[in-house]
């Protein structure tokens, strides 16, 4: 989807790999339609019997994006499809179905010559989008509807500064003016995601927004699948670079009308003043240097004499003369080939009917893709999730248990609670009107990033009332150990766990360190002091242990000289012999004489390698 050809491959070298914390505290516009299309096929392939995968995907990924990644998502849905894209969508369907493209229904035009309104989008997919919109509003997320294309409104929100980035894999977002595009995003993955900044693309390719629009017109896009025959991405980039960003679209309009002489005038350079009528100076057919062959047979030319030869040498098959006239001629021929290529491309463009399409250019450059005024701006607000309504909604559509829904909602509710604590500092407030912040258990590393494992206690009582099945308890214990990381293909967030400590039940959630620090600074300071004292005691115990072992193993008299490997093994043997003797005396009641060790060494084969003999003697 987006610009045809290998457009993403053109931008790939200028992508940045970003981690989970890149989106924290940032507003992100999400193309909901593409989000559903991208992941629904994967879910159905792994779980063909999944119930309403569009709702499942939207729920889990929204919770993860909001709580785990700390972003403020703004969801954008498609409006009425434009006539241009609708016709391209029908043509794509014919091609994928193996039908004859010539049998395509032509758009019906009214009396004024404009295309009549197209039919609405697929009704089944539209129903899925509407259900997801209802779910998102229950989650408290802002949902905006575009006039036509969702990626266009995402790009407009990004260019106007209402959001910091767009999440879409539709490359048309760059043409609509997006400044930061995230192509793919998986919340439960260690792998970084690709982030494209327009500033890096412009600096690397040397192409601006209007030049990218020109490439889309030549190569083809969702609004015009054909483009111009003979133009791939590389050819289009080479042609577009002939013009500046300010003049490229006007030049395409003039070339489309057949005005090729204007291009010839632009491409002329001082070297083009040299015509084919200028005769090159005569060159020797033997050595290839300036001069005649008869003269070079008598006296060697200056070029051959410079190379250390008395007579002219015969030129090789790959010989190229380096004189000024030959260099000028090669430069002229190269410019002429380049100019002929430009004329050829211009003729191909001018032969394309109705090129370029002004409607497509105006669509990309427009700035009215949403239903809001420039003065007021879009309405973006993140409300508290309506938990009870969510339970009714998901119980009806997904047949989930209420306890399961509440459990999966805890990460999102804890994030909302901590953000409110940062802004209000109201210590009397409770998480979900039930749980109170107790303490920080430890630091947990998840996907390479540190988090606080926070303990929540049920307010007013000593136990946490929470239904946990046997299977779930086993999973929670493995998560508490931190040895297993989530690889769930359905992008389910990490669920809260239960900790039993001194007869009290605590709810454990993974929270961002900076967010907890801002919400509960005193508790974090006490945790860091306790952690520092524990580390000190641990280091001290290790030091004492090593010191005690060194006292036991140290010889009675230290010479202060480093021992050789042989002396070291002998000293170890002396220390180890009494212990062996004590054990043998306890078992047999008899001690060993000093000559026993010598007799043992005599029994070892001296032909064995030294390392083997040492093991036999001292191990």
């Amino acid at each position: 989807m987006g610009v045809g050809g290998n457009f993403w491959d053109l931008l790939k070298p200028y992508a940045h790999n970003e981690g989970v914390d890149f989106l924290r505290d940032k507003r992100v516009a999400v193309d909901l339609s593409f989000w559903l299309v991208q992941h629904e096929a994967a879910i159905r392939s792994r779980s063909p019997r999944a119930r309403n995968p569009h709702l499942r995907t939207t729920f889990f990924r929204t919770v993860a994006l909001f709580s785990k990644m700390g972003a403020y998502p703004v969801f954008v849905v498609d409006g009425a499809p434009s006539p241009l894209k609708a016709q391209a969508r029908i043509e794509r369907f014919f091609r994928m179905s193996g039908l004859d493209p010539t049998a395509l229904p032509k758009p019906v035009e009214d009396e004024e010559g404009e295309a009549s309104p197209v039919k609405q989008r697929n009704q089944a997919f539209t129903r899925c989008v509407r259900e997801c919109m209802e779910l998102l509003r229950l989650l408290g997320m802002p949902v905006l509807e575009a006039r036509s294309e969702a990626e266009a409104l995402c790009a407009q929100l990004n260019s106007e500064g209402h959001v910091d980035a767009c999440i879409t894999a539709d490359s048309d977002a760059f043409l609509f003016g997006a400044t930061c595009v995230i192509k793919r995003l998986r919340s439960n993955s260690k792998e970084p995601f690709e982030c494209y900044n327009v500033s890096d693309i412009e600096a690397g390719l040397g192409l601006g927004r209007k030049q990218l629009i020109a490439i889309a017109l030549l190569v083809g896009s969702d609004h015009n699948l054909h483009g111009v025959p003979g133009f791939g991405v590389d050819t289009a980039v080479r042609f577009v670079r002939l013009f500046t960003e300010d003049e490229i679209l006007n030049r395409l309009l003039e070339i489309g009308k057949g005005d090729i002489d204007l291009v010839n005038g632009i491409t002329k350079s001082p070297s083009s003043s040299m015509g084919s009528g200028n005769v090159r100076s005569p060159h020797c057919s033997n050595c290839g240097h300036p001069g005649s062959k008869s003269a070079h047979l008598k006296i060697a030319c200056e070029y051959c004499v410079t190379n250390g030869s008395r007579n002219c040498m015969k030129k090789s098959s790959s010989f190229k003369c380096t004189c000024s006239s030959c260099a000028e001629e090669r430069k002229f021929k190269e410019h002429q080939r380049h100019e002929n290529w430009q004329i050829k491309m211009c003729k191909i463009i001018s032969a394309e009917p109705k090129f370029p399409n002004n409607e497509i250019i105006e669509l990309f450059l427009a700035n009215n893709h949403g239903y809001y005024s420039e003065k007021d701006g879009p309405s973006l607000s993140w409300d508290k999730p309506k938990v009870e309504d969510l339970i009714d909604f998901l119980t009806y559509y997904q047949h989930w248990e209420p306890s399961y829904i509440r459990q999966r909602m805890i990460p999102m509710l804890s994030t909302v609670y901590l953000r409110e604590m940062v802004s209000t500092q109201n210590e009397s407030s409770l998480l979900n009107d039930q749980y109170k912040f107790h303490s920080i258990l430890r630091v947990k590393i998840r996907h390479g990033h540190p988090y606080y494992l926070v303990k929540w206690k049920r307010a007013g009582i000593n136990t946490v009332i929470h239904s946990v099945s046997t299977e779930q308890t086993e999973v929670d214990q493995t998560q508490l150990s931190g040895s297993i990381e989530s690889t769930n293909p359905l992008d389910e967030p990490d669920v809260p766990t239960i900790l039993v400590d001194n007869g009290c039940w605590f709810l454990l959630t993974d929270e961002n360190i900076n967010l907890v620090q801002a919400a509960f600074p005193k508790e974090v300071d006490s945790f860091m002091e306790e952690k520092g004292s524990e580390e000190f005691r641990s280091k001290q115990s290790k030091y004492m242990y090593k010191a005690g072992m060194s006292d036991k193993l140290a010889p009675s008299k230290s010479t202060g000289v480093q021992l050789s490997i042989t002396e070291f093994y002998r000293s170890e043997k002396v220390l180890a012999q009494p212990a062996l003797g004590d054990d043998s005396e306890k078992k047999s009641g008899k001690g060993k004489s000093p000559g026993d060790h010598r007799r043992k060494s005599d029994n070892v084969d001296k032909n064995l390698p030294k390392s083997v003999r040492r093991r036999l003697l001292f191990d």
Side-chain angles (χ1 to χ4, degrees):
M1 297 178 67
V3 183
N6 299 322
F7 189 74
W8 278 115
D9 294 339
L10 177 68
L11 308 180
K12 180 74 173 180
Y14 312 104
H16 292 278
N17 292 328
E18 301 292 348
V20 177
D21 287 337
F22 174 73
L23 295 178
R24 188 162 301 281
D25 298 329
K26 293 182 180 179
R27 297 184 176 188
V28 186
V30 181
D31 184 354
L32 180 60
S33 299
F34 191 82
W35 201 3
L36 297 179
V37 171
Q38 183 182 12
H39 299 284
E40 184 176 1
I43 291 176
R44 288 193 181 278
S45 63
R46 292 185 176 95
S47 181
R49 297 182 181 180
R51 181 185 297 276
N52 296 326
H54 59 285
L55 293 177
R56 183 185 183 93
T57 299
T58 303
F59 176 75
F60 285 126
R61 290 181 68 84
T62 302
V63 172
L65 184 62
F66 184 84
S67 60
K68 182 185 299 184
M69 308 189 76
Y72 290 86
V74 179
F75 293 89
V76 183
V77 298
D78 292 311
S82 64
L84 295 170
K85 193 167 184 177
Q87 187 68 16
R89 190 169 66 248
I90 296 174
E91 184 174 349
R92 184 187 292 114
F93 172 77
F94 268 66
R95 288 182 178 180
M96 296 179 63
S97 303
L99 302 176
D100 186 8
T102 57
L104 281 171
K106 296 182 179 180
V108 181
E109 297 182 353
D110 54 17
E111 297 177 355
E112 298 179 358
E114 297 182 357
S116 60
V118 297
K119 296 182 179 180
Q120 296 297 322
R121 301 180 187 270
N122 183 279
Q123 294 183 358
F125 185 75
T126 303
R127 177 182 58 81
C128 294
V129 172
R130 296 299 175 187
E131 292 175 354
C132 291
M133 291 173 63
E134 183 178 358
L135 173 62
L136 290 170
R137 290 193 175 101
L138 293 176
L139 288 170
M141 300 293 107
V143 182
L144 301 179
E145 185 172 358
R147 293 182 183 273
S148 179
E149 304 301 327
E151 67 271 13
L153 181 54
C154 290
Q156 181 180 343
L157 294 172
N158 190 202
S159 62
E160 293 177 352
H162 300 297
V163 298
D164 300 297
C166 305
I167 298 179
T168 179
D170 199 327
S171 55
D172 284 346
F174 297 103
L175 313 181
F176 286 112
T179 59
C180 181
V181 176
I182 297 173
K183 185 178 179 183
R184 289 185 179 89
L185 182 67
R186 288 186 63 87
S187 57
N188 268 8
S189 176
K190 287 184 179 180
E191 299 297 327
F193 50 84
E194 297 178 2
C195 180
Y196 295 82
N197 291 314
V198 170
S199 58
D200 298 331
I201 296 174
E202 291 178 350
L205 291 176
L207 301 175
R209 177 185 174 187
K210 293 182 179 179
Q211 290 171 313
L212 295 179
I213 293 175
I215 293 175
L217 294 172
L218 295 171
V219 175
S221 63
D222 289 342
H223 302 86
N224 180 20
L225 294 180
H226 298 289
V228 178
F231 273 87
V233 173
D234 296 336
T235 305
V237 170
R238 180 184 174 187
F239 183 81
V240 166
R241 281 177 174 166
L242 299 175
F243 311 96
T244 63
E245 183 183 6
D246 296 332
E247 66 179 1
I248 179 61
L249 296 179
N250 293 329
R251 296 303 185 202
L252 286 181
L253 290 172
E254 294 169 353
I255 295 172
K257 296 177 182 178
D259 192 356
I260 304 178
D261 295 334
L262 180 63
V263 179
N264 293 338
I266 293 177
T267 57
K268 286 182 180 179
S269 65
S271 63
S272 64
S273 60
M274 175 183 175
S276 59
N278 295 340
V279 181
R280 189 185 66 160
S281 59
H283 281 58
C284 175
S285 60
N286 183 39
C287 65
H289 296 132
S292 63
K293 182 177 181 180
S294 59
H296 288 182
L297 290 176
K298 298 178 181 179
I299 302 175
C301 66
E302 55 180 341
Y303 298 95
C304 294
V305 171
T306 305
N307 294 333
S309 176
R310 295 183 178 181
N311 300 320
C312 284
M313 299 178 296
K314 185 175 180 60
K315 62 181 178 180
S316 62
S317 58
S318 59
F319 171 80
K320 287 185 179 180
C321 182
T322 58
C323 68
S324 59
S325 61
C326 291
E328 189 69 19
E329 184 181 20
R330 284 194 296 269
K331 186 176 180 181
F332 170 74
K333 289 182 178 180
E334 180 64 26
H335 178 79
Q336 197 172 27
R337 283 195 298 268
H338 184 62
E339 189 173 304
N340 292 336
W341 177 83
Q342 295 178 30
I343 296 173
K344 178 183 177 182
M345 294 297 103
C346 291
K347 289 181 178 179
I348 293 175
I349 293 174
S350 61
E352 186 70 14
K354 298 181 180 180
F355 182 89
N357 193 329
N358 286 325
E359 294 182 9
I360 299 178
I361 297 176
E362 293 174 358
L363 179 64
F364 285 142
L365 296 177
N367 202 27
N368 58 344
H369 302 291
Y371 293 98
Y372 62 89
S373 62
E374 184 178 355
K375 180 180 179 181
D376 299 333
S379 177
L380 303 180
S381 61
W382 290 263
D383 302 326
K384 287 185 178 181
K386 301 177 182 178
V387 180
E388 297 304 323
D389 294 339
L390 271 170
I391 292 174
D392 295 339
F393 181 87
L394 294 175
T395 302
Y396 175 77
Y397 282 100
Q398 299 298 111
H399 296 182
W400 290 346
E401 293 293 333
S403 59
Y404 178 85
I405 301 172
R406 289 191 178 93
Q407 187 186 43
R408 264 56 182 179
M409 282 294 300
I410 288 294
M412 189 174 192
L413 295 175
S414 63
T415 302
V416 173
Y417 172 76
L418 291 174
R419 288 176 177 176
E420 288 183 350
M421 286 295 300
V422 173
S423 58
T424 62
Q425 293 296 328
N426 183 11
E427 298 182 359
S428 61
S429 62
L430 301 175
L431 169 61
N432 197 24
D433 297 329
Q434 296 181 6
Y435 303 107
K436 182 179 180 180
F437 183 91
H438 183 269
S439 62
I440 301 173
L441 180 61
R442 60 181 174 87
V443 177
K444 177 180 178 181
I445 304 299
R446 186 179 64 187
H447 303 317
H449 297 272
Y451 293 85
Y452 278 150
L453 196 60
V454 177
K455 296 169 62 176
W456 304 89
K457 185 177 180 181
R458 185 72 176 268
I461 55 178
N462 293 329
T463 58
V464 176
I465 302 176
H466 197 82
S467 59
V468 184
S469 62
T470 305
E471 181 181 357
Q472 177 185 331
T473 305
E474 295 176 357
V475 175
D476 293 345
Q477 293 302 325
T478 57
Q479 290 182 350
L480 280 173
S481 64
S483 60
I484 299 177
E485 295 190 359
S486 175
T487 57
N488 197 320
L490 299 178
D491 287 331
E492 292 189 13
D494 293 338
V495 297
T497 57
I498 302 299
L499 174 67
V500 181
D501 187 10
N502 294 328
C504 295
W505 286 40
F506 296 95
L507 191 68
L508 300 180
T509 60
D510 303 338
E511 306 297 343
N512 177 256
I513 290 180
N514 295 330
L515 189 58
V516 177
Q517 171 70 39
F520 298 97
K522 296 180 181 179
E523 288 77 359
V524 173
D525 292 341
S526 61
F527 169 74
M528 295 304 296
E529 292 177 0
E530 182 181 355
K531 181 181 178 183
S533 61
E534 288 180 357
E535 291 180 353
F536 175 77
R537 288 195 298 269
S538 177
K539 291 181 180 179
Q540 189 177 23
S541 61
K542 289 181 180 179
Y543 173 78
M544 295 299 294
Y545 175 76
K546 291 180 179 179
M549 292 299 293
S550 61
D551 292 341
K552 293 180 181 179
L553 298 178
S556 57
K557 294 182 180 180
S558 176
T559 60
V561 181
Q562 184 176 357
L563 300 177
S564 64
I565 186 67
T566 306
E567 294 172 341
F568 171 76
Y569 275 112
R570 288 175 178 172
S571 62
E572 291 292 319
K573 179 183 66 174
V574 173
L575 291 174
Q577 279 179 350
L580 294 173
D582 294 341
D583 293 338
S584 60
E585 287 177 0
K586 290 181 181 179
K587 293 181 180 178
S588 60
K590 299 180 181 180
K592 291 185 177 181
S593 63
D596 292 343
H597 180 72
R598 290 194 298 271
R599 288 193 295 271
K600 180 179 179 182
S601 61
D602 295 339
N603 296 330
V604 177
D605 189 0
K606 295 184 179 181
N607 294 326
L608 293 175
K610 186 181 293 184
S611 60
V612 177
R613 281 185 284 149
R614 283 174 179 168
R615 293 193 185 98
L616 294 175
L617 289 174
F618 303 116
D619 288 350

